[in-house]
Amino acid sequence: MAIDDAADAVEIVIRDAEEAVQADTYLPTQLVKLGLSAVIASALAPMPFVVNILTNLFARVPARFEKRFLRVAEELNAQQKRIEDRIPDKKYYESEEFQSLLILILEKIHTTTDDEKLRSFGSALANSGSSEFQQEDKEGHIRTLRDLSRNDLEVLNNDYLKGWTPHTRVITYEAEVLSSLSRLAGMGLVLENSRVPTVPTTPAIRTYSLSPFGTRFLKFISSGSGNTDTSHKG
C-alpha cells in the first residue's frame, strides 16, 4: 500500500471513530449529553436496556441523582440476570407499563438517600418482568415501596412477624416499632391480632403478623439473595 493510501486509510478510521463518538448510538456519549458524568455513563454503558429507557426520559439530572440512580440501575441489572430464566419476554422492559413504573421510582429517588431502599427499587423493577408476578398489581407494589421508610422495611422483614412467632409469643414492641407497625397495618402489609389473656382483668395482648399481601410484597422487592432480610429488635 502506498504511503498516501495508508494515510487516507488512517484518516478514514479516525473520522469514523469521531463520527461514532458523536452518533446517537454511542451510549456513553448519549448519557453525557443528557448531563450525566463520564464515570456514570461508562458504568451504565454495559446496561443497554437501562440506557435506552434513560435516554428517552430525561434531559438534565443533578449529580446526587446520578449516584442514586446508579444504585437502582446496578441492582436492576443484577437482579435481571439472577431471574433471567423467569423472564418470559425481555421486551417488557421497553414497554409503556415498565416505563410508568420506572417513572414512579425516578420521582422518589430525589428524596431517597438509603442505599438499601435504592437497591430495593432496582430489584422491584427487575422483578416486575418475572413470570412470578405477571398477575400482581405491580404499580400498587411500587407505590407501596415508595411510601415506606427504611425503618418500615426493617420492621416488615422482622422474624417476629413471620410464621407462628407472633401467635405464640408475647412480644413487647418499642415505640418506634409500634409506629411502623401501625402504618404497615394501615397499608395492609401486616395484620393486627389480639390474644385473650389468661387473667380476665388483664387487657388483651396485641401482636402483629405478616399478611398475605405483605408476604407477596416482600418477594416482589427482594433480590432473592437475602439483602432485604434486615432485622429490627422488637
Side-chain angles (χ1 to χ4, degrees), residues 160-169 171 173 178 181 185 190-196 204-212:
Y160 285 172
L161 295 178
K162 301 171 184 177
W164 286 101
T165 301
H167 304 288
T168 58
R169 288 187 58 181
I171 302 171
Y173 303 102
L178 277 173
L181 287 169
V190 302
L191 302 174
E192 183 175 332
N193 315 291
S194 293
R195 291 176 56 193
V196 178
I205 300 171
R206 182 176 54 175
T207 62
Y208 295 85
S209 58
L210 196 63
S211 71

Side-chain angles (χ1 to χ4, degrees), residues 23-148:
D24 288 340
T25 54
Y26 189 71
L27 301 183
T29 298
Q30 268 189 305
L31 294 171
V32 171
K33 285 181 178 179
L34 290 176
L36 276 70
S37 69
V39 172
I40 298 297
S42 297
L44 287 174
M47 312 177 202
F49 78 101
V50 176
V51 173
N52 182 59
I53 295 164
L54 181 62
T55 54
N56 289 328
L57 290 178
F58 329 112
R60 300 182 65 84
V61 289
R64 67 178 181 275
F65 178 91
E66 293 183 11
K67 296 178 181 178
R68 295 172 189 176
F69 178 78
L70 184 55
R71 292 286 182 274
V72 176
E74 286 172 338
E75 183 58 29
L76 168 56
N77 187 62
Q79 180 65 2
Q80 191 195 40
K81 291 178 180 177
R82 294 186 196 110
I83 65 170
E84 191 169 7
D85 60 341
R86 286 176 275 159
I87 301 174
D89 183 7
K90 289 187 178 180
K91 288 188 177 296
Y92 162 78
Y93 296 100
E94 301 174 6
S95 69
E96 291 185 8
E97 179 185 4
F98 178 78
Q99 291 191 22
S100 69
L101 299 181
L102 179 60
I103 289 171
L104 290 174
I105 294 297
L106 296 177
E107 291 172 350
K108 200 66 176 178
I109 289 178
H110 290 281
T111 57
T112 303
T113 59
D114 182 75
D115 280 354
E116 286 301 318
K117 186 168 182 181
L118 291 171
R119 281 191 279 268
S120 292
F121 284 155
S123 291
L125 286 170
N127 288 337
S128 70
S130 169
S131 57
E132 183 178 0
F133 300 104
Q134 291 303 295
Q135 304 305 316
E136 296 284 335
D137 179 7
K138 303 170 189 177
E139 181 178 336
H141 284 325
I142 294 293
R143 290 186 180 278
T144 297
L145 178 57
R146 281 170 31 122
D147 293 339
L148 295 179

